[in-house]
Amino acid sequence: MPEPTKKDETPNGQPEVWSLGEGQPPEELEKPIDTPPLSTLLIEKPQSATVSVGGDVTFIAKVEGKDLLRKPTVKWFKGKWMDLASKTGKHLQLKETFDRLSKVHTFEMHIIKAKENYAGNYRCEVNYKDKFDSCSFDLEVQESEQGSQSIDIRSAFKRSEGQEDAGELDFSGLLKHREIKPDDTPEIDVWEILKNARPDEYEKIAFMYGITDLRGLLRRMKKIPKEEKKSEAFAKKLEPAYQVDKGSKIRLVVDLADPTVDLKWYKNGQEIRPTPNQRKYIFEHKGTQRIMVINNCTLNDDAAYSVAAGDEKCSTELFVKELPVKVVKGIEPVKTTVNERIELECEVSEEGAQVKWMKNGVEVPTGVRSRYRVKCEGTKHYLVIDDASREDTGTYSIMATGGTSEAHIQVDLKPLKVYQDLQNMTVMLGQPIKLQCEIYPGNVPGRWYRNGQLIQPNDRINIIHRNRVHRLEIEASSLHDAGDYTFVPEGYSQSLSAKLHIIDPPKVHLDSLNFPDNTMTIVAGNKLRLEIPISGEPAPRVVWMKGERVILESGHRVRAETYGDQTSLTIDVTEREDSGNYKIVLQNEAGEASASVKIKVVDIPDPPDAPLVPEVGGDWCSMTWEVPKYDGGSPILGYYIERKKKQSSRWMRLNFDLIKETSFEPKKMIEGVPYEVRIFAVNAIGVSKPSEPSKAFTPLAVTSEPTMLVVDDVTDTTVTVKWRPPETIGAAGLDGYLVEYCIEGTDDWIVSNNELTEKTKHTITGLTPGTKILVRVKAINAAGASAPRTIQHSVLVKEVIEPPKIRVPRHLKQTYTRRVGEAVNLVVPFMGKPRPKVTWLKEGKVVDSSDVSIRNTDCDSIIFIRKAERSHSGKYEMTVHVDNHVDTAIIDIQIVDLPGPPQSVTIEDVWGGNVALVWTPPKDNGNAPIIGYTIQKADKKTMEWYTCIEHYHRTCITITELVVGNEYFFRIFAENMCGLSEKATQTKKSALIVKEGLQVKTHEFEDHDFKEAPMFTQPLINTFAIAGYNATLNCSVRANPRPKVMWMKNKIAIIDDPRYRMFSNQGVCTLEIRKPSPYDGGMYTCKAINDLGEAQVDCKLEVKGGFTFYELMQRGVPLHLIDQYMSETKTVEQEK
């Protein structure tokens, strides 16, 4: 945007007039300002206006405010950038109003006492958030017309120095202030300077002479009439243009002011000279007129002509109008075949006329190399095609200036005949190929295609065409030659096709592998990808096999893949089992081939088995091990040995040089500390995983001998000894004891326990009665056996008799009681040697083993009953025999159950409010004493039983405080230690309580039928509720049998709604509404239903105190109900 020029100011710094002062060329002053695409905020835009100097004008802009939440921002501009908001004053006023009914914002700009420099382009801009709209308009200020001689241009377009215009539309206050210097320059006619200057110098001249309102100056210059200069040589010049028909003549006439001036005529800048023998140009003189006549005008005479008289020149343009050429005889349509001659003839109205031949709207080329020849004979024109082809088919036309003629030419092919078609062929790779066909017509060329691609002849491919025979020859076939071959005669849609199939026996190229003996070695765990080149056409079917197993392409870890000219075997993670011979079999229709490849998978060896430690010393041990079961496919080079303390996780290597043997003796160990050792095997691939650690061993000494060895028991075949642990055990601990014996008089010690015993007591079995033996005990630990401890005297193998004795537990010395169905498990210990014989009797008879389980040991007897019954009750006698010695004990077992009911209950007497009852004890007391009775009563009307007294011990009782007029039945339960009897005995007769002194004679009558359909005795009442506070609806209903009660809101049943709680007690029905909202208002219904009918009552609930729209949305109320509620609330408020 150009910058505004500086302007003069008053001594007080107040500008007198406002002006844009833009340095634009005059042709751009009236151009409107371009505006970008805008939104439509303005519904009424300010319009351009015209006002006279000193008049007032108002511009109005209106904005639609229905969709706007606040007032839009409006700015008024003059020109492109000057904001008029800061220029308000006595000449400019801005006003804003808003109509609340129509929702329209009105913005007005009033210009008061307009001046000439107020004219120009104005702009109104409206902004609202991201919306924008703009409108441009013009203001024209009219003024009285005055001559340019009476105008002092510098004073007219220079700002005055007064202050009466302060506050006008001016932006000069934004510029720097400068002092006003007296103007001592001489008077200069600036109008003349501007009239004689070029337009691009106007701004420079205005700046030099202090003219700031350049726009007003240029507008004034436009209104000044221009004075045309009179020619000194010509009294009358040539017309601007002349027109003449072709073949006619034209007169160009000028009138000279001075007849003596030399005159020259020019055509297109070249002088026209008269010649005596030529009658084309004739020059005439008639007084002051000079005339040039042009005869028989042609198109060459259509040019620019000028005449020069002295230093002056005038010019004109001559247009020659050509008469149209018409087509007298048109061309005719032609239908022929290829290779024929076509001649099109047309006759026009004029000889030598220029015509154009067209084909399908495009001009036909007629050059030297063109297939088309054009000739003209007088008025006849010809288009000749000597050798027609199918491409010549089309619509041909001839164009003259006065008409056209067209016709269609159809060129068809001659019918094609096939004498010999192409034949499908199968050729071995490398053999020659000959494809041949024979067609008519014979002179038709053709093209050969393979798989749709054009075949070009070369050193290997030869294409031959002799008369009707077309042949394709290939010297040596290759795989690329296979495919679909097609011969297409040129110009015909018909084609000849054949398939050529190249076959080649399959081959496996193992030479490219460069593996010795075709063996590939790979380390286990690596990925193996063995790619083997293959060949064969068609592509052979490849099968990989290991033994009899076929390797599939879909294998997960091991898979075979074939693509292109190679096949591959892939093993993602090689394993030992992958070693072996792999066979490759190739098959196709040309033959079969096979080859074998050996794969050797090498790996680190397996870890050896856990080493053995056969001997342990104080700080050393000896260890041995076996070689690994699998050496990894490479010989074992040696072993590494490591050891660690058992409690530690840190292993220490004992040798840094490989050990070739399978034994080793670690040394320098700490006594008393457990150690473990392990082995690593090493081959050329690497070190194996460690072996399992050996059993922990401790390089320690043996313990001291056991102490206090004595004989504990002797039988006819056994001797039991016991002892105390050694006094000194040591850090190696104690693994157990070894007991040995020998017959007195011999040194052959026999081991009694094959496995070490940790106990300090042992029984030697299998001895011969009457022999004498010696016994010794050794303490064993990891270091070995201690010194033995031997009994000082020999032991005679002969049992000592001990009389039996039964030790009855304290709880079995009393009666042992259990309930029916419970388990009975009694353990009775006893003593005696040799092993006593135990028998059980019940009531003098042997206990049945199928009913009661009895198990006897050396020291106790167990009696077990899984599910006790009352028949198991009784006294059980236990007898223990040792030779002639006997001991007995009696166990009393009592199995109890619930008692039966009393045998009979009778009403002994009735007086006042009392009834005397008498009953007999139950026949079955449940095998336990009766400890009491429970007496219950029941009113004959309801027959609901109530307990009068519990745990009553006697068999008679008086029931008091009975209600006069009621009739009672009574029943009694028996009770023992197990509880109440399952059934009760009821009195057969009832007891009627009557008032004393009156004898009521009762009459028999039928019971009244109390059944009735539901009937509401108290209906629902219309209720008002306060929103947020619980409300209840109550009613009462009478019905027999008891009815089913349902509550409904607006005829919709209320089911499982947490906002409602329903109660029904003694016929009173209650509905509680928890914290109701206006949405809960409506018509509520209580409905009672039984087998005899149904009834219902209604009421209306109105909830006062509403909720906001947001609160109703939070409560999940549907939108249509919220809308209904809000409108009802508004109606109620208006009524109030």
Side-chain angles (χ1 to χ4, degrees), residues 968-1028:
Y968 294 92
F969 286 95
F970 299 90
R971 67 180 182 183
I972 300 176
F973 293 89
E975 182 180 5
N976 66 0
M977 61 181 298
C978 293
L980 294 176
S981 60
E982 294 181 353
K983 298 181 180 180
T985 303
Q986 182 178 332
T987 57
K988 295 182 179 180
K989 297 181 180 180
S990 61
L992 179 62
I993 309 302
V994 297
K995 191 174 183 180
E996 294 183 355
L998 296 178
Q999 294 183 353
V1000 179
K1001 186 176 181 180
T1002 59
H1003 300 280
E1004 294 183 358
F1005 58 90
E1006 295 181 357
D1007 293 337
H1008 178 70
D1009 187 5
F1010 290 95
K1011 294 182 179 180
E1012 64 175 329
M1015 181 180 68
F1016 283 92
T1017 59
Q1018 178 63 38
L1020 293 172
I1021 302 175
N1022 294 339
T1023 307
F1024 289 90
I1026 304 299

Side-chain angles (χ1 to χ4, degrees), residues 848-862:
D848 185 4
S849 60
S850 63
D851 197 18
V852 179
S853 300
I854 297 175
R855 185 175 63 85
N856 299 321
T857 65
D858 294 342
C859 59
D860 57 22
S861 180
I862 301 174

